[in-house]
Amino acid sequence: MKITPLIGLEVHLELETKSKMFCGCPADHFGKKPNTQTCPVCLGLPGALPVPNKKAIESCLQIGLALQCSINTISKFDRKQYFYPDLAKGYQISQYDEPFCSDGFLFLDSGKKIGIERVHLEEDTGKLQHKTLNGQKVTLVDYNRGGVPLVEIVSRPDLSSSAEAKEFLKKIHEIIRALGVSSVDLEKGQMRLEPTVNLCLENEIGSHYTPLVEIKNINSFNFASQAIEFEITRQAEEFSQTGIEKSSTNKTTRGYDAVKKNTFLQRSKEEAKDYRYFPEPDIPPFIIDAGYVEKLRQKLPLLPDQEIANLEKLGIDKKDAKILVSSNNQVALQTIKDYSTNSIVDIQKLASLIVNGKISIPVIASDSAAIQKSIISQYCDLTKIGTTDRGELEKVVREVLATHPGLVAEYQGGKASLAGFFVGQAMKATRGTADPQTLASLVADLLS
Amino acid sequence: MKPLHELTIQEVHEGYRNHTFTCVQLVQHFLDRIKKYNPRLNIYLALNEHALEQAAAVDREIVEKGIDRELLGIPLAIKDNFLTTGLTTTASSYILKGFMPQYDSTVTEKLLAAGAIFLGKTNMDSFAHGSSTETSDFGPTLNPWNPKHLPGGSSGGSAAAIAAQLATAALGSETAGSIRQPAAWVGITGFKPTYGRSSRYGVIAMASSTDSPGPLARTVADAALITQVIAGQDAKDATTSPLPVENYLGSLNKPDLQGLKIALVKEYLLPEMRSDVKELILAAADKLRSLGATVEEISLMDPQYAIGVYTVVQRSEVSSNLSRFDGIRFGHDRSAFGQETKRRIMLGTYTLSAGYYDAFYKKAQAVRTKIIEEFAEVFKTYDAVIGAVSPGPALPIGATKDQPMFGEMEDILVEASSIAGLTSAGIPCGFVDGLPIGLQITCDQFQEEKALMIADCYQQNTSFNLFPDLDQTL
């Protein structure tokens, strides 16, 4: 029997906007004193109304564009209704049938195309804290997080292994970081993962599909991968025992226990939720102008895959390029780009030295010029450009002379004082790392 | 001189200017009347303990600066679904009994900024679920014309406050008839602005897609002035319109209605309607003709479809809007919900459920679009549409008992204009059985100026704007 896992991913991302999704409270809630960043709107007080945050919508559209989605001309918010104490209004403002972005895709390194069903915007819930106070077990609610903008990315079930799922998640993570809309810190809950898994089992009779399982709220790529692995095995076993196939009513929800490394049932079909979605009457629908979308598209930063391709074009190994891009060290990337046309720096070597940690990149210095100087000086030390390497320096001097044919002619015509100028230029090209005497003798030799 | 409780806003300001009376005297006069009549009529649920202090401050301001605020020293009655800091706000529900708001609604804030004094909060159908004020968890308000009858609703308390002359003017809100219908039943002027013209921020939501705050007043001119103050875009309500607010007062006092085309809707003269009510509406049409307007009979969609649409949309929104009263906050658990509220939550929950959403909510929205298109077509030719507000006069106390569709049947003639988000004035046009009958003058969205102009012209040229003598009627 051939088993093909069918894995889809739902990813929730908290946006780092200044204010919350529907009110003016600060969105930055991490580590803040409970319930100090609330107002009538995010507390769901009677009479309070939501006003959408334009910046958050823009960020959602940018994410959609980065994931090659089409941006829907007409979009709206809906109410998703369920009861939970962390949900102040008794409903979450989300998007149901008209999300901002739909039908995108993302390529894995293997070239496999993973479909993105939709990218939509919603609001985060409050946070429950289960505590013992004065010997009594209590649950406290902190609404600081309530109403923080949350983007949901839903993939199609095109992933067929835990490794593919992990790669997909990493790529999403890098894209969001490159867009600068969130630092997607998993430990702070800024990125939450929910894989949906089932299996296609093929034998001589035909294909069978196991019931869908959604695994809730995972906050690490490794846990997501482990949970998927566990589910693949569990579902295959379960099917061999029960033979139960997927139906429209037997989707279940499971949690992941990181300690036991297994998944456990949270909600079965009997408890399936009916969210009673309907259009949010407090927020008029959006008509999204094509010109506005085009402007956003043009403003998109270089995305990780494009950046890797660009580095490869400069001659850097793909492996190194990927590590460089994923490390997200902007100064290192800029330095490589700046020196890509410099004749004395071998940027393939420079990239490899950075990737292998041979060149340490100062993190404290805020001046990127100083960091760049340090990178180059380390490179020169490591590659022994400078005092003794006459061969390397000769290249530099030749280039200096080649760029100043007029002055060379003057020197040869008798203006010997120009030797100092040539040495100075060569010194500049090596960022002051060359031995001046070696340079002077090279200038004299090459012009004699 | 007229007694203080009979003065319009303009007359109050004249009195202040001429030092005929002070604001303290006016407020005290209303408090005395409230003390005398409120126990019987059950209009006010809560009184502003600081009203006299605020009146004294107004008197000082008048001495120092004169009257340079539109509503300076005007005593108002406020429907209990507007959040008012310092005054309990319950929407006439037990679940919010004793609820003290943390912030002010945008429109009450605007009224205060214009210098108004709130006398107190008025009774209403609980959560505005009704057209009688009989579903209030704090007991019904009685009709000042005849205490055996209902005042209509849901803004029944605010309407009765004007009819009983227990405030100079009042604030109400309309979802479908909740201003016009009680205004008609107690014989006063009510005005529903276009949906999105006045902010809903801080109004305990009933049906979010139709709620419109508006005035209940002694005259169209008073209603126009209050609308002028409360209208306008609000950054806190995304459904308010950016269109500039017209000068409503400037449009009043027109000598005639020359050049206007008015439509009288045939279907709104219901077969079951009393013939004396029909005659009053036809007489009103003749009056408008005599004032120079062209009045023509037209045909519109049977109003019963509007009831179906409204019932589904409104119940759906109600079931969602009330889910925040989850029994965890606000002090009372969900058993404190009244019967009518529970009924609406259940119906709305059902119509939004998976499998039923398409059949009910989506279908209702499709019909709503049809109604909107139909009105848009009518307003290409006509300036206004007129008809009765209500099929008959105020019904007796107890009429809502075992009548879950009571409100919808009584609001049959106002629901279409509400779900289309139109603006509409309700003004008295006669009496049957000693009870007032109301005429509605409905105009296209954001045509407040025109609706007020026509209503004002009609009112100034008729003599139905009467007030009961409580010592006779009670």
Side-chain angles (χ1 to χ4, degrees), chain B residues 332-347:
Chain B
H332 304 278
D333 70 39
R334 289 163 73 86
S335 65
F337 276 134
Q339 274 306 316
E340 181 58 23
T341 303
K342 285 183 197 163
R343 189 156 34 219
R344 291 190 183 206
I345 292 172
M346 288 182 70
L347 182 53

Side-chain angles (χ1 to χ4, degrees), chain A residues 10 12 22 50 107 120 165 213 234 280 284 303 341 360 363 370 406 430:
Chain A
E10 262 180 45
H12 283 95
F22 299 113
F107 284 110
H120 78 239
V213 169
R234 191 193 65 78
E280 168 56 275
L303 295 172
T341 50
S360 66
V363 284
T430 62

Side-chain angles (χ1 to χ4, degrees), chain B residues 172-218:
Chain B
S173 66
E174 168 152 342
T175 299
S178 278
I179 288 175
R180 289 173 286 166
Q181 187 257 12
W185 281 21
V186 302
I188 60 151
T189 300
F191 186 63
K192 173 194 136 37
T194 306
Y195 176 74
R197 181 74 295 179
S198 51
S199 169
R200 296 183 293 117
Y201 187 75
V203 186
I204 296 177
M206 207 261 268
S208 315
S209 65
T210 50
D211 286 345
S212 300
L216 295 114
R218 295 183 65 84

Side-chain angles (χ1 to χ4, degrees), chain A residues 1-6 112 160 198-210 232 236 239:
Chain A
M1 181 141 52
K2 190 185 162 206
I3 298 180
T4 314
L6 304 167
K112 184 172 174 182
S160 39
N198 75 330
L199 308 177
C200 172
L201 304 118
E202 286 166 278
N203 57 19
E204 53 287 351
I205 310 163
S207 302
H208 304 277
Y209 293 86
T210 60
I232 292 171
F239 184 79

Side-chain angles (χ1 to χ4, degrees), chain A residues 230-244:
Chain A
F230 180 85
E231 264 313 298
I232 292 171
T233 317
R234 191 193 65 78
Q235 289 186 25
E237 273 170 24
E238 188 178 75
F239 184 79
S240 68
Q241 286 161 15
T242 65
I244 294 173

